[in-house]
Amino acid sequence: MFNSTLTKDAINHCPADGGIMITASHLPYNRNGFKFFTSDGGLNKTDIKDILERASRVYEESAHCGKQEQTGVVTHVDYMSIYASDLVQAVLKSAGNKEKPLEGLHIVVDAGNGAGGFFVDKVLKPLGAVTDGSQFLEPDGLFPNHIPNPEDKAAMEAITQAVLNNKADLGIIFDTDVDRSAAVDSSGRELNRNRLIALMSAIVLEEHPGTTVVTDSVTSDGLTAFIEKKLGGKHHRFKRGYKNVIDEAIRLNSTGEESHLAMETSGHGALKENHWLDDGAYMMVKLLNKLAGARTLNPNIGSKVLTDLVEGLEEAAVTVEIRLKIDQNHADLKGGSFRDYGESILKHLESVISKDPNLNKAPKNHEGVRVSGYGGWFLLRLSLHDPVLPLNIEVALSSFFLQLSNLRKHHSLKKIDRHVTCACRHKARMTP
């Protein structure tokens, strides 16, 4: 829908002045909403509030003045074919315009019954890829198979199993409206979250050496080391929320600091070359570009060319997120707001950290309190909208209990103990 405002194609009534998409991503079928686009990008909350206020005034005026309804013309345009053709051309260009550069490569797609099914017939097949085993390509807002969400465990298990069952070279999974995506290599290794950011960083930094990669606040210390020490780039960790991440990358460019990639661990990824649109299909095309280029030199190469790019990324043995709810009726709030109470918790945590020589607060941090020590890190932050303090922890398994023991000593953090212990035990059972 965004690209329809940029494409120059008079026959198909493009560029459009605006686009509206009916979607609620992976939320239940009764939670639909609208995404609005102009050539400047997606509209934000302030823009939408303005639209609602204007619409209300128009309605009131028409009701009181007895104005007749205006009529327009509806024209049906197959814009998806135009958009998909542009994706195909991008891959062909990376392969030196070789015809069917993915010929013989087996790629399976899991669209989760969202809008991403087009990728099989309109992108992969024209490039020569084998797509047998692709699944859940037909849109169905009831999501009868699994939630279409690259962060969902069942969804990732579904695409991983599809890759292994079909002995595919690569698996691709999209969320419902295709603004997020992830991949799985031929061995069943998931390329999502920190791994996907590392992979995209490796690709982008080959094209733009030294550029800044902007991510959300919960990315790992290992990713920072990978981007800065191995790839020679700069990692700018910012707030959660894909729009926050994208807007920060745009802001950095406006100040003269070059940034070509903004990514959130949820799978939202946006590139400067693609007008800062978080387009999951375009992101997967960047992976296909790499594969296509490599196969011009070695026709037998598979997804190993991608997994080799993340070689050296230090990964945590245990990753935990606990969402600590703030009881707004609790006496500790003394009738105040949950936000003020949450901020006081964060200030108290900073005081506790300063007394422990083994804990180091991140010198640059844009959200909450991020602390490294005892073989890992944790981030405690306040939710933007809800009375919740999300706690993210990444640490080597052997160090996890040591860090927990240290937290347990402090009175204000005792509530965390039971939840974290349970989460750690559960994760430990799953960790080889």
Side-chain angles (χ1 to χ4, degrees):
M1 296 306 298
F2 172 63
N3 275 276
S4 71
T5 68
L6 303 176
T7 299
K8 295 181 180 179
D9 187 337
I11 295 176
N12 288 291
H13 306 279
C14 291
D17 294 312
I20 303 174
M21 182 180 187
I22 303 174
T23 176
S25 190
H26 56 280
L27 294 175
Y29 70 93
N30 61 345
R31 295 286 298 278
N32 278 325
F34 296 103
K35 284 186 177 180
F36 300 87
F37 300 94
T38 70
S39 58
D40 292 327
L43 271 59
N44 58 32
K45 291 181 180 179
T46 303
D47 298 322
I48 294 170
K49 181 181 178 183
D50 183 51
I51 287 175
L52 291 172
E53 290 173 348
R54 286 168 181 255
S56 179
R57 288 197 297 270
V58 170
Y59 177 78
E60 290 295 328
E61 290 171 2
S62 64
H64 293 301
C65 300
K67 291 182 180 178
Q68 293 184 346
E69 291 186 9
Q70 294 181 338
T71 58
V73 177
V74 176
T75 304
H76 293 275
V77 175
D78 179 18
Y79 184 75
M80 183 62 82
S81 295
I82 300 171
Y83 167 72
S85 177
D86 289 342
L87 297 179
V88 170
Q89 292 302 314
V91 180
L92 293 175
K93 183 178 179 181
S94 293
N97 293 315
K98 177 185 176 182
E99 187 178 359
K100 297 189 181 301
L102 300 182
E103 190 166 20
L105 200 68
H106 192 168
I107 303 175
V108 295
V109 172
D110 185 326
N113 299 111
F118 79 94
F119 204 78
V120 171
D121 288 333
K122 294 185 179 291
V123 178
L124 292 177
K125 286 184 179 179
L127 292 169
V130 177
T131 60
D132 298 346
S134 293
Q135 57 194 19
F136 317 139
L137 305 182
E138 289 299 317
D140 185 339
L142 297 178
F143 308 139
N145 295 289
H146 62 71
I147 295 173
N149 179 1
E151 285 194 292
D152 182 68
K153 180 182 174 183
M156 291 308 297
E157 286 179 350
I159 183 60
T160 299
Q161 204 57 52
V163 168
L164 297 177
N165 289 347
N166 292 279
K167 296 181 172 57
D169 296 294
L170 184 70
I172 292 173
I173 184 169
F174 295 112
D175 83 330
T176 322
D177 44 8
V178 201
D179 56 3
R180 294 185 296 145
S181 56
V184 174
D185 72 8
S186 57
S187 70
R189 186 186 188 194
E190 296 178 3
L191 297 171
N192 60 354
R193 299 186 65 79
N194 284 293
R195 282 182 196 160
L196 184 58
I197 298 175
L199 176 56
M200 287 298 299
S201 297
I203 292 172
V204 170
L205 277 158
E206 278 186 2
E207 301 167 347
H208 305 282
T211 195
T212 295
V213 176
V214 182
T215 72
D216 60 337
S217 60
V218 299
T219 47
S220 69
D221 289 347
L223 179 66
T224 302
F226 182 79
I227 291 172
E228 298 188 348
K229 295 180 180 178
K230 180 166 183 179
L231 301 180
K234 182 179 178 182
H235 183 196
H236 182 84
R237 192 183 285 115
F238 197 58
K239 300 175 183 178
R240 290 214 80 175
Y242 74 95
K243 199 71 168 65
N244 290 330
V245 173
I246 292 171
D247 288 346
E248 179 67 1
I250 294 172
R251 187 192 69 80
L252 289 179
N253 278 286
S254 71
T255 65
E257 181 174 343
E258 185 185 72
S259 176
H260 286 267
L261 175 64
M263 280 198 71
E264 193 183 34
T265 48
S266 65
H268 281 288
L271 294 109
K272 183 179 181 181
E273 68 187 53
N274 194 37
H275 310 281
W276 292 117
L277 178 69
D278 53 317
D279 183 347
Y282 191 87
M283 186 160 60
M284 289 299 103
V285 161
K286 292 294 286 186
L287 305 192
L288 297 181
N289 288 348
K290 194 67 183 175
L291 280 170
R295 285 173 71 83
T296 60
L297 302 175
N298 180 1
N300 298 316
I301 201 164
S303 60
K304 190 176 184 298
V305 68
L306 300 178
T307 49
D308 283 351
L309 288 175
V310 296
E311 189 67 36
L313 172 65
E314 182 184 345
E315 300 188 69
V318 174
T319 301
V320 178
E321 180 176 282
I322 307 119
R323 296 179 66 81
L324 304 169
K325 294 182 179 179
I326 299 174
D327 181 358
Q328 298 186 78
N329 297 317
H330 198 280
D332 285 355
L333 269 70
K334 300 176 182 177
S337 70
F338 77 85
R339 182 159 296 281
D340 290 339
Y341 181 74
E343 293 292 350
S344 70
I345 290 291
L346 295 177
K347 287 180 180 179
H348 182 67
L349 178 59
E350 289 181 320
S351 175
V352 168
I353 293 162
S354 65
K355 298 173 184 177
D356 190 329
N358 296 307
L359 294 177
N360 300 300
K361 181 188 172 189
K364 289 184 179 181
N365 192 57
H366 297 277
E367 184 174 43
V369 179
R370 186 182 176 105
V371 182
S372 297
Y374 296 97
W377 62 268
F378 69 84
L379 171 69
L380 185 67
R381 57 191 173 85
L382 182 60
S383 172
L384 291 175
H385 309 291
D386 302 317
V388 173
L389 283 162
L391 173 67
N392 293 85
I393 304 175
E394 276 195 15
V395 70
L397 188 60
S398 60
S399 303
F400 190 94
F401 292 102
L402 182 60
Q403 179 168 322
L404 180 63
S405 176
N406 182 69
L407 290 175
R408 187 185 291 130
K409 296 176 185 177
H410 306 296
H411 177 73
S412 64
L413 298 176
K414 281 183 179 178
K415 280 183 65 178
I416 296 173
D417 182 44
R418 176 172 54 84
H419 298 290
V420 177
T421 302
C422 291
C424 186
R425 285 174 181 161
H426 174 70
K427 188 72 177 181
R429 286 197 298 270
M430 298 170 57
T431 304

